[in-house]
C-alpha cells in the first residue's frame, strides 16, 4: 500500500510539475487588422519568430491578422483588460487616448519616409511613445507603412474634383477635417468594412497606402487612384504598461529584443514591399493611376494645409516645428 501511495504521489507530483511548467509559459497575443503580406503583418510574424527563438518554451506568441480578434477601436481597451498583449493601430486611431498623436495625420506634413523616420527617431517622436502612459499604455516602437494615396470612382486631379464625394476614413478628426477642407464628406469606418463599402457604393472613395490598397483589393473596386502622397499611415506598437512592467525581467528583455529586431525588420522591408505592391496594382490594369502635375499637387496642398491651424493648439506648435524641421 505504501509503495502504491508513493508511486501515486510521484505520478501526481509529475502532473503538477507539468501543469506548473505549462502555466509558467507566457502567452503573448498580438492583434492587428491588416493582411499578413504587409509591412505590419510581416513584422508581427518576425516578432513571433524571434521572441520564440530567444525565449524558447517560456513564451508562446500568437498573431491575429485581418481584424480576426479586434478592430482598432476595440484593441486598446482589450490590451488594458489583458485580452491581448500587443496591438499596432495606425497613428490615426489614438484620438480618444491622446491628442498629441494627431500630428501624424496632418496633411503634407512629411515630404517622404526619411523625414518620418527622422521625426520618429528624434526626441519628440520618442517622447510621444510615452504620451499614453497615464492611461496605462506604453508605445514600444513605430512601424512604417507609408504615404497615403487617394482613390475614387472618378478621377481626382484637383481638390474641387473631390467636392461632394463620400470618403471612407480612419477614425481621426484631423483626417475628417482634411476631407471637409476639400468639401468632401468623410465617413469614419472600420478597415474591415472598407472593401464592401467601396464595392456597394456606400462611399465613393478612400485614402490608404499602396500596401493596404493592394492587399485588401481596394483597387478592384476603385476606378482611379491618384498618387498624391498627401499624408502618412504609420503605426505605434503598444502594450499595457502594467503587464509589461510586471513581466519576469528575463521575459521582458527577450520580448524587448524581439520587438527591437522586428521594428528594424518591418521598417527595413516596408519601402520595397510597398513599391512591389504599387507595381502589382498598376500591372493589374484594374484601375487607372493618375500622377499629379506640380501645380495640381500644390493645389491639394493649399486646400488641405489650413487643417494644421485647426489642430495646432491640441497638438502643440513645438511638435509641428520639430516635424517640419525633418523635411529640410
Ligand atoms: C486603416 O484603417 O485604413 C488602417 O489603419 C489599417 C492599417 O492598420 O493599416
Amino acid at each position: 500500500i505504501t509503495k502504491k501511495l508513493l508511486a501515486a504521489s510521484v505520478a501526481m507530483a509529475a502532473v503538477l510539475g507539468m501543469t506548473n511548467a505549462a502555466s509558467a509559459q507566457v502567452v503573448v497575443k498580438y492583434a492587428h487588422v491588416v493582411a499578413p503580406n504587409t509591412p505590419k503583418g510581416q513584422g508581427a510574424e518576425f516578432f513571433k519568430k524571434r521572441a520564440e527563438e530567444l525565449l524558447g518554451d517560456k513564451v508562446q506568441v500568437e498573431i491575429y491578422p485581418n481584424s480576426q480578434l479586434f478592430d482598432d477601436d476595440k484593441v486598446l481597451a482589450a490590451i488594458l483588460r489583458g485580452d491581448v498583449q500587443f496591438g499596432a493601430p495606425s497613428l490615426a486611431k489614438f484620438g480618444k487616448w491622446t491628442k498629441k498623436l494627431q500630428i501624424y495625420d496632418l496633411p503634407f506634413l512629411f515630404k517622404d519616409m526619411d523625414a518620418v523616420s527622422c521625426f520618429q527617431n528624434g526626441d519628440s517622436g520618442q517622447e510621444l511613445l510615452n504620451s499614453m502612459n497615464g492611461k496605462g499604455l506604453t508605445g514600444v516602437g513605430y512601424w512604417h507603412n507609408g504615404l497615403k494615396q487617394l482613390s475614387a470612382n472618378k478621377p481626382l486631379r484637383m481638390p474641387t474634383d473631390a467636392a461632394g464625394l463620400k470618403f471612407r476614413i480612419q477614425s481621426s478628426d484631423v483626417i475628417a477635417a482634411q476631407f471637409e477642407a476639400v468639401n468632401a464628406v468623410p465617413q469614419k469606418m472600420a478597415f474591415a468594412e472598407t472593401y464592401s463599402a467601396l464595392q456597394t457604393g456606400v462611399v465613393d472613395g478612400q485614402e490608404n497606402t499602396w500596401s493596404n490598397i493592394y492587399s485588401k483589393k481596394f483597387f478592384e473596386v476603385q476606378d482611379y487612384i491618384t498618387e498624391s502622397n498627401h499624408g502618412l499611415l504609420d503605426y505605434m506598437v503598444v502594450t499595457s504598461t502594467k503587464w509589461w512592467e510586471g513581466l519576469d525581467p528575463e521575459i521582458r528583455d527577450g520580448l524587448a529584443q524581439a520587438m527591437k529586431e522586428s521594428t528594424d525588420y518591418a521598417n527595413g522591408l516596408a519601402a520595397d514591399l510597398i513599391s512591389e505592391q504599387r507595381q502589382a496594382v498598376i500591372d493589374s490594369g484594374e484601375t487607372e493611376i493618375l500622377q499629379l502635375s506640380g501645380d495640381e499637387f500644390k493645389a491639394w496642398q493649399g486646400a488641405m494645409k489650413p487643417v494644421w491651424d485647426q489642430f495646432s493648439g491640441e497638438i502643440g506648435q513645438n511638435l509641428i516645428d520639430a516635424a517640419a524641421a525633418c523635411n529640410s
Side-chain angles (χ1 to χ4, degrees):
I1 289 169
T2 330
K3 263 190 188 168
K4 269 191 189 164
L5 266 179
L6 196 65
S9 61
V10 167
M12 180 70 85
V15 169
L16 282 176
M18 274 170 62
T19 322
N20 278 343
S23 66
Q25 186 181 53
V26 177
V27 176
V28 178
K29 296 185 181 176
Y30 184 155
H32 66 81
V33 301
V34 293
N37 63 334
T38 55
K40 182 162 62 180
Q42 295 289 295
E45 283 177 11
F46 191 82
F47 172 69
K48 171 182 166 66
K49 175 172 164 283
R50 286 301 291 141
E52 292 179 352
E53 277 168 8
L54 290 164
L55 292 164
D57 289 343
K58 295 188 180 114
V59 295
Q60 180 186 328
V61 180
E62 298 171 1
I63 308 295
Y64 296 91
N66 287 323
S67 315
Q68 265 166 30
L69 211 51
F70 294 106
D71 271 337
D72 281 331
D73 62 342
K74 302 266 164 39
V75 76
L76 297 172
I79 288 174
L80 290 177
R81 281 198 309 275
D83 290 348
V84 56
Q85 284 65 47
F86 289 100
S90 93
L91 294 161
K93 307 263 180 80
F94 291 94
K96 273 197 263 167
W97 304 79
T98 170
K99 298 292 175 206
K100 298 268 166 211
L101 292 176
Q102 293 185 127
I103 184 166
Y104 287 107
D105 289 338
L106 293 178
F108 298 99
L109 179 64
F110 296 108
K111 75 170 198 288
D112 55 25
M113 293 307 289
D114 286 344
V116 174
S117 297
C118 155
F119 178 72
Q120 289 175 345
N121 296 331
D123 290 346
S124 306
Q126 291 296 302
E127 278 165 29
L128 287 174
L129 292 172
N130 293 319
S131 56
M132 294 173 290
N133 286 1
K135 305 250 166 78
L137 295 169
T138 296
V140 292
Y142 289 108
W143 286 14
H144 289 331
N145 189 324
L147 298 178
K148 292 181 289 189
Q149 319 305 334
L150 287 165
S151 75
N153 51 20
K154 62 173 271 201
L156 301 175
R157 289 204 172 83
M158 289 293 282
T160 43
D161 297 330
L165 298 188
K166 288 191 199 129
F167 286 85
R168 176 271 167 175
I169 62 162
Q170 305 176 79
S171 57
S172 153
D173 291 346
V174 178
I175 298 175
Q178 170 200 281
F179 279 102
E180 281 160 2
V182 294
N183 299 314
V185 185
Q187 291 203 1
K188 292 179 182 172
M189 193 181 286
F191 186 57
E193 288 162 23
T194 307
Y195 179 88
S196 89
L198 293 168
Q199 189 185 34
T200 56
V202 167
V203 292
D204 305 298
Q206 63 88 44
E207 52 156 37
N208 226 306
T209 60
W210 283 114
S211 179
N212 284 346
I213 290 170
Y214 170 74
S215 57
K216 289 295 176 188
K217 303 189 183 341
F218 298 162
F219 67 97
E220 292 181 358
V221 286
Q222 293 279 266
D223 294 335
Y224 300 93
I225 301 176
T226 301
E227 188 153 43
S228 51
N229 291 317
H230 63 280
L232 173 70
L233 197 160
D234 258 19
Y235 308 107
M236 188 184 286
V237 187
V238 282
T239 188
S240 148
T241 313
K242 193 166 150 210
W243 174 78
W244 185 247
E245 286 174 359
L247 279 174
D248 177 307
E250 185 199 343
I251 295 194
R252 188 173 53 239
D253 288 353
L255 292 178
Q257 177 64 25
M259 185 54 69
K260 192 191 162 312
E261 290 179 25
S262 51
T263 300
D264 292 345
Y265 177 80
N267 290 342
L269 70 76
D272 283 348
L273 186 58
I274 284 160
S275 86
E276 264 170 42
Q277 296 184 327
R278 171 184 176 277
Q279 195 56 47
V281 171
I282 296 169
D283 293 347
S284 76
E286 302 245 11
T287 186
E288 194 174 325
I289 316 294
L290 306 173
Q291 303 293 339
L292 296 175
S293 69
D295 285 346
E296 287 165 343
F297 183 83
K298 281 199 194 114
W300 286 94
Q301 208 174 16
M304 289 178 164
K305 234 179 135 181
V307 168
W308 292 28
D309 289 340
Q310 272 173 263
F311 292 91
S312 61
E314 284 179 356
I315 294 168
Q317 190 59 42
N318 55 334
L319 279 184
I320 298 178
D321 292 344
C326 280
N327 284 329
S328 50

